[in-house]
Amino acid sequence: RYYEYMFGHSRRRTRGRRPLAARAEPQLFQLQVVIEAGDPGCDRHPQLTSSEAYHLTVTEPVAILKAYEVWGALRGLETFSQLVHEDDYGSFLVNESEINDFPRFAHRGVLLDTSRHYLPLKSILTNLDAMAFNKFNVLHWHIVDDQSFPYQSIYFPELSDKGAYSSNLIYTPTDVQLVIEYARLRGIRVIPEFDTPGHTQSWGKGQKDLLTPCYNGGQPTGSFGPVNPVWNTTYDFMTKFFKEISSVFPDEFIHLGGDEVDFSCWKSNPEVKEFMKKKGFGTDYAKLESYYVQNIVDIVSSYNKGQMVWQEVFDHKAQLKPDTVVQVWMANNYAHELSSVTGAGFTTILSAPWYLDYISYGQDWKKYYSVEPLNFPGSEEQKKLVIGGEACLWGEFVDATNLTPRLWPRASAVGERLWSSSNVTNLQDAYKRLTNHRCRML
Amino acid sequence: AENEPSWETPCSELLVYVSTPGCDGFPSLDSKESYKLSVSKGSMLLSAETIWGALRGLETFSQLVGRDENGTYYINETEIVDFPRFPHRGLLLDTSRHYLPLRAILETLDVMAYNKFNVFHWHIVDDPSFPYESSTFPELSKQGAFNAMTHVYTASDVRTVIEHARLRGIRVIVEFDTPGHTLSWGPGAPGLLTPCYVGKDPSGVYGPINPIVNSTYQFVTSLFKEVSAVFPDFFLHLGGDEVDFTCWKSNPEIRAFMKEMGFGEDYKKLESFYIQRLLHIVSSLGKGYIVWQEVFDNDVKLRPDTIIHVWKENSMQYVSEMANVTRAGYRALLSAPWYLNRISYGQDWIAAYKVEPLSFAGSPEQKALVIGGEACMWGEYVDVTNLTPRLW
């Protein structure tokens, strides 16, 4: 595909003709790609610990792209394709170059939300292409939420039957595998998020007795709240459900969500209140939330998957596994949160300043570019725990009609911030390169 | 079975009756767009005085047709008498900050028709580029377009836009904004723009159109003669906004002229001098004109049939501007609260919807002078890759 990217889209109309005499310029005939590891990884999935470093030497007659693993080769190929340019006569040129490159952060992600609005497969795949152009390596697939449940589950088909917007606005197992493989070929991990116990209204449509019935004055109101943490059946369901998810999604991590749990429904429910008493949680519903989350963590761990969670899970003091990744998303004083999370020894990724769904007039890419993730009070060891970040495109006002122009090239600013060295901060220089890059992506 | 709709004999024909023929003409500010739509058992009738009303009614009719789960098309029995509140309902596209390929403009015209817009305000040239291919002054686009081969509107392109619009009952009002917003005119028209000075020497930078030399007015006459012929609508938009006086002030010849004319230090008088001559030229070409509000604010002497385009927005200042413009007896167009290029998060359509154009202090006669408004999509951050989702 890189051949097509470099040579397939010649836009130049020949304005003049170069003399046909033998060229005096040096010619590049070949790009040799060398992968040094015994097991290059071509048949495997990329991981957090994958090597993405590469060494590119462009000189006549043969250029060499060397990388330890295939993932580095992909990054190098992207860079090489950016170096190739076309002159006014339609000749392709590349400058003699020596590049030694590797990412600053290992987790460089984009979050897509396919629940607030369904995103057709094509949209997701186009986005994976754009991510590869920007060396992103994680697709955080926020696949279900309150509004709709498009994930077609094998064990629980009713979830999407009843919970999707409609029968054709779903992701079949084939669709899911297609996304995972398309991503893999671009060195992109797919981390699914099945957000619970909040953000689960759509789950209740296809799974009776999963959500908490809300009460008013001793009577059920007919509406439901978060997942019910006191019933055994909840955990039976989750055990089976996450068994499926663990086998469908090959990445080592699953995102469990855990954000914005509204306690009012729990508080209204007599069974839940009874349970709180029994457990000695008093009136601290954060403890109930933590109790729930800890159970899910145990379930998911038993399937040998690592977990990612939104910051509230940490803030509410749930007991987490040491390798849990905490995603910091709340914009208010996120530097302080980064200190707390890393101070407690957890790895973390930053999203708070990169909510790209919050559009505004003008060149807002500059503020995304100017974020310095390690600008928080903390020791060297703490700073090492920041493994990266994610640009989030929540879907309340986004669907296939506006996703691409809304996300790109603004996300490119985040991509560079996460890959490049911390001293690459010059906005004027970035502007020049970003405008070129945008045209190239188009 | 109960509760099943009782399907009547299928209606197979919508009869369209237009009392005043005019299919070959162009829509105008005075065009009647009213229509009546009658749908009943076995008979569907759309009647309008003019073809333009029929187009509006056809759009409404198309919106009434529904389709059920079985794929059957149906329409409710309906009786509609409809007409627009405002006769000028426009959309501005900016093809200078970013070139918009023809298909983007034509697609926009289609969507305008779905929304009963009837004016396409084509802000065709500005500082960054001059994509309009002029037959009188071909160098303007040759030197001023982003790319003279690929980023221009040929005479044929312009005709295509005008006809595509006409078939949808949409007027094309072109804007050649002067004397400011003209940097791209400079390369193709040497001597047109004012050379700016630093001290006694020209700085190499140029400013607005030079209002003191005769060549300017010869140029303007020739250009607008062509533009008047190319664009059939009675109105031209002459711009006149955001004229920066610093360059004029720096130029010694202009300062001398100011003295000679007794304008003192009031450069608004110089702007007024230029605009008045421009208006005279355009009038003698048989066209009416629309100008941005500064032309009114800066006390330029205007003809009574001038239309003032209100665009400045800062804490609802446009409300008092609308009052002032109409109190002075001019017709007004409102755009200030409808700068759709100024995107923001969430359902900002609500703020645009809530605007009440006549909510200013004034007499009924004043309010009658508000002929409508325009949604503006300025192009600083807009091109074909994001125009449609940003606008609609």
Side-chain angles (χ1 to χ4, degrees):
Chain A
R1 63 178 178 273
Y2 272 97
Y3 190 90
E4 183 67 23
Y5 293 151
M6 290 186 281
F7 309 115
H9 299 278
S10 177
R11 271 181 235 136
R12 202 75 60 188
R13 286 174 205 201
T14 315
R15 278 204 241 118
R17 297 214 165 269
R18 204 170 260 239
L20 291 173
R23 302 256 184 107
E25 311 100 342
Q27 292 209 65
L28 181 66
F29 292 98
Q30 203 180 61
L31 171 69
Q32 265 184 19
V33 182
V34 177
I35 303 191
E36 293 166 317
D39 173 10
C42 298
D43 298 323
R44 312 251 227 99
H45 289 88
Q47 298 168 33
L48 179 60
T49 50
S50 295
S51 167
E52 292 178 285
Y54 65 91
H55 187 110
L56 180 61
T57 307
V58 181
T59 181
E60 66 144 345
V62 171
I64 303 195
L65 169 58
K66 238 192 257 192
Y68 187 65
E69 291 182 340
V70 68
W71 319 114
L74 286 175
R75 304 301 167 232
L77 205 47
E78 175 56 40
T79 297
F80 180 77
S81 76
Q82 294 186 17
L83 295 173
V84 173
H85 54 279
E86 212 182 330
D87 71 7
D88 289 342
Y89 303 97
S91 299
F92 292 95
L93 305 169
V94 61
N95 284 354
E96 195 160 330
S97 325
E98 182 89 22
I99 295 179
N100 225 328
D101 197 13
F102 58 91
R104 180 182 178 200
F105 293 105
H107 182 120
R108 308 180 304 282
V110 168
L111 179 151
L112 286 187
D113 169 1
T114 58
S115 174
R116 273 60 180 265
H117 284 91
Y118 179 79
L119 294 177
L121 219 51
K122 180 156 173 241
S123 241
I124 300 178
L125 301 183
T126 301
N127 197 63
L128 287 168
D129 284 335
M131 285 171 65
F133 300 153
N134 292 272
K135 297 189 173 70
F136 277 100
N137 65 356
V138 174
L139 172 65
H140 173 165
W141 193 352
H142 187 92
I143 187 168
V144 299
D145 203 299
D146 282 329
Q147 285 83 346
S148 73
F149 196 106
Y151 172 75
Q152 189 177 53
S153 159
I154 303 154
Y155 286 153
F156 302 100
E158 292 278 290
L159 284 171
S160 60
D161 273 353
K162 299 268 162 51
Y165 279 132
S166 76
S167 54
N168 59 331
L169 298 183
I170 59 170
Y171 302 107
T172 64
T174 311
D175 293 336
V176 173
Q177 290 314 309
L178 180 56
V179 170
I180 293 170
E181 179 63 5
Y182 199 89
R184 188 186 79 83
L185 292 172
R186 286 153 182 75
I188 298 171
R189 302 162 55 201
V190 177
I191 300 181
E193 176 185 348
F194 285 90
D195 191 353
T196 69
H199 286 281
T200 44
Q201 288 297 297
S202 67
W203 299 52
K205 305 245 167 70
Q207 184 69 14
K208 294 283 161 270
D209 304 325
L210 176 67
L211 304 184
T212 312
C214 310
Y215 277 67
N216 193 350
Q219 295 303 318
T221 63
S223 60
F224 298 88
V227 170
N228 194 319
V230 319
W231 292 332
N232 285 334
T233 49
T234 291
Y235 302 107
D236 295 337
F237 167 82
M238 291 297 173
T239 301
K240 205 162 172 210
F241 184 75
F242 277 104
K243 180 171 184 198
E244 173 183 324
I245 301 309
S246 301
S247 82
V248 167
F249 292 90
D251 198 82
E252 296 172 312
F253 282 84
I254 297 180
H255 201 303
L256 306 182
D259 60 315
E260 299 182 312
V261 183
D262 183 350
F263 297 148
S264 42
C265 186
W266 282 351
K267 285 182 185 168
S268 75
N269 182 297
E271 270 185 270
V272 174
K273 286 204 291 255
E274 184 59 43
F275 187 82
M276 287 287 285
K277 232 195 239 168
K278 202 171 84 185
K279 288 297 218 178
F281 290 159
T283 49
D284 188 358
Y285 282 79
K287 292 202 164 99
L288 181 58
E289 177 194 286
S290 298
Y291 165 85
Y292 168 84
V293 171
Q294 275 153 210
N295 283 334
I296 303 302
V297 163
D298 286 340
I299 289 169
V300 171
S301 296
S302 72
Y303 297 126
N304 276 323
K305 293 291 192 185
Q307 303 97 41
M308 292 184 60
V309 292
W310 294 108
Q311 67 180 74
E312 288 99 314
V313 171
F314 166 81
D315 295 341
H316 294 166
K317 304 192 178 39
Q319 251 187 333
L320 300 169
K321 299 278 184 263
D323 60 349
T324 306
V325 181
V326 178
Q327 188 161 9
V328 173
W329 70 272
M330 293 171 134
N332 198 7
N333 209 353
Y334 66 84
H336 180 256
E337 183 72 6
L338 287 173
S339 293
S340 305
V341 172
T342 54
F346 291 104
T347 49
T348 183
I349 57 172
L350 179 62
S351 282
W354 290 324
Y355 265 36
L356 267 50
D357 56 311
Y358 285 150
I359 58 170
S360 56
Y361 179 68
Q363 294 197 51
D364 56 357
W365 70 272
K366 292 185 181 175
K367 78 172 181 236
Y368 302 136
Y369 192 78
S370 304
V371 171
E372 173 37 66
L374 301 189
N375 245 0
F376 64 92
S379 65
E380 281 308 300
E381 286 70 44
Q382 273 179 263
K383 308 245 167 155
K384 288 204 189 102
L385 294 173
V386 178
I387 57 170
E390 290 184 358
C392 298
L393 194 72
W394 295 103
E396 284 87 347
F397 302 104
V398 175
D399 68 8
T401 67
N402 65 357
L403 185 142
T404 302
R406 189 162 289 203
L407 187 52
W408 307 100
R410 292 153 81 228
S412 300
V414 181
E416 176 153 303
R417 178 54 48 234
L418 291 172
W419 176 281
S420 295
S421 164
S422 59
N423 61 2
V424 178
T425 52
N426 184 301
L427 282 170
Q428 282 92 316
D429 178 68
Y431 176 79
K432 282 199 212 109
R433 290 181 293 103
L434 183 58
T435 44
N436 276 349
H437 186 54
R438 175 179 182 266
C439 290
R440 187 168 45 224
M441 287 199 283
L442 288 172
Chain B
E2 286 174 21
N3 301 327
E4 231 182 50
S6 56
W7 299 117
E8 305 292 348
T9 339
C11 323
S12 57
E13 211 173 50
L14 170 69
L15 283 174
V16 181
Y17 175 72
V18 176
S19 50
T20 323
C23 297
D24 298 325
F26 284 90
S28 73
L29 181 58
D30 310 311
S31 295
K32 298 236 174 16
E33 296 175 281
S34 54
Y35 65 91
K36 282 200 182 80
L37 184 58
S38 236
V39 176
S40 58
K41 297 184 225 242
S43 141
M44 302 190 294
L45 176 63
L46 165 61
S47 63
E49 239 186 273
T50 69
I51 184 68
W52 317 117
L55 287 174
R56 304 301 168 233
L58 206 48
E59 173 59 37
T60 299
F61 179 78
S62 76
Q63 293 183 19
L64 292 172
V65 175
R67 203 173 184 193
D68 68 13
E69 328 81 64
N70 303 319
T72 312
Y73 293 99
Y74 66 87
I75 184 168
N76 285 352
E77 196 162 329
T78 315
E79 202 65 36
I80 293 179
V81 176
D82 195 14
F83 56 90
R85 180 180 176 199
F86 293 105
H88 183 122
R89 305 178 305 282
L91 189 75
L92 177 151
L93 283 188
D94 169 0
T95 57
S96 175
R97 273 58 180 264
H98 284 91
Y99 179 77
L100 291 175
L102 206 57
R103 70 176 194 277
I105 298 179
L106 301 183
E107 186 177 88
T108 301
L109 289 169
D110 286 343
V111 191
M112 282 171 67
Y114 304 153
N115 291 272
K116 296 191 174 71
F117 277 99
N118 65 356
V119 173
F120 169 42
H121 174 166
W122 193 350
H123 188 92
I124 190 168
V125 299
D126 202 297
D127 284 330
S129 74
F130 196 105
Y132 171 76
E133 243 181 28
S134 160
S135 51
T136 322
F137 300 105
E139 287 295 300
L140 284 172
S141 60
K142 267 219 195 104
Q143 307 290 336
F146 282 134
N147 180 315
M149 304 271 275
T150 57
H151 288 50
V152 287
Y153 302 107
T154 63
S156 163
D157 293 336
V158 172
R159 278 196 300 271
T160 302
V161 169
I162 292 171
E163 180 62 5
H164 195 93
R166 188 188 77 85
L167 293 172
R168 287 152 183 75
I170 297 171
R171 302 162 54 202
V172 178
I173 299 183
V174 73
E175 175 184 350
F176 281 88
D177 192 353
T178 69
H181 286 281
T182 44
L183 285 179
S184 67
W185 303 44
L192 177 68
L193 303 184
T194 309
C196 312
Y197 275 66
V198 167
K200 291 208 200 68
D201 307 297
S203 64
V205 170
Y206 293 87
I209 286 184
N210 192 329
I212 70 173
V213 288
N214 280 335
S215 52
T216 287
Y217 300 100
Q218 281 158 9
F219 171 87
V220 162
T221 303
S222 301
L223 179 66
F224 278 95
K225 185 161 180 211
E226 171 188 321
V227 169
S228 298
V230 168
F231 292 89
D233 197 81
F234 174 69
F235 284 91
L236 292 177
H237 200 301
L238 304 180
D241 61 315
E242 298 181 312
V243 183
D244 183 354
F245 297 146
T246 23
C247 186
W248 283 351
K249 284 181 187 168
S250 76
N251 184 298
E253 284 176 44
I254 293 196
R255 280 206 304 273
F257 183 83
M258 288 287 286
K259 226 200 218 148
E260 198 187 301
M261 299 294 286
F263 289 161
E265 287 297 309
D266 190 359
Y267 282 81
K268 286 201 220 148
K269 296 210 166 89
L270 184 59
E271 178 191 33
S272 182
F273 174 82
Y274 167 82
I275 299 266
Q276 266 156 228
R277 290 185 69 169
L278 172 65
L279 298 185
H280 181 79
I281 290 168
V282 172
S283 294
S284 52
L285 290 167
K287 293 290 196 189
Y289 39 75
I290 310 175
V291 291
W292 295 110
Q293 67 179 77
E294 285 96 318
V295 173
F296 167 80
D297 296 341
N298 292 351
D299 296 316
V300 176
K301 240 199 346 220
L302 299 168
R303 289 175 29 143
D305 58 352
T306 313
I307 299 179
I308 311 291
H309 201 158
V310 177
W311 70 271
K312 286 178 158 179
E313 165 54 339
N314 189 0
S315 320
M316 305 283 280
Q317 64 174 162
Y318 71 85
V319 174
S320 44
E321 180 75 0
M322 294 293 280
N324 293 341
V325 166
T326 51
R327 194 181 317 116
Y330 299 106
R331 284 174 296 180
L333 277 178
L334 181 61
S335 281
W338 291 324
Y339 265 37
L340 302 185
N341 55 309
R342 296 199 133 261
I343 57 171
S344 57
Y345 179 71
Q347 295 198 54
D348 54 357
W349 69 274
I350 295 179
Y353 192 79
K354 281 195 175 150
V355 172
E356 173 35 68
L358 302 187
S359 71
F360 60 88
S363 66
E365 291 72 37
Q366 270 178 264
K367 310 238 167 157
L369 291 172
V370 179
I371 57 169
E374 293 186 357
C376 298
M377 185 48 74
W378 294 103
E380 284 86 348
Y381 303 105
V382 175
D383 68 9
V384 70
T385 66
N386 64 357
L387 172 69
T388 301
R390 191 162 289 204
L391 190 48
W392 305 103

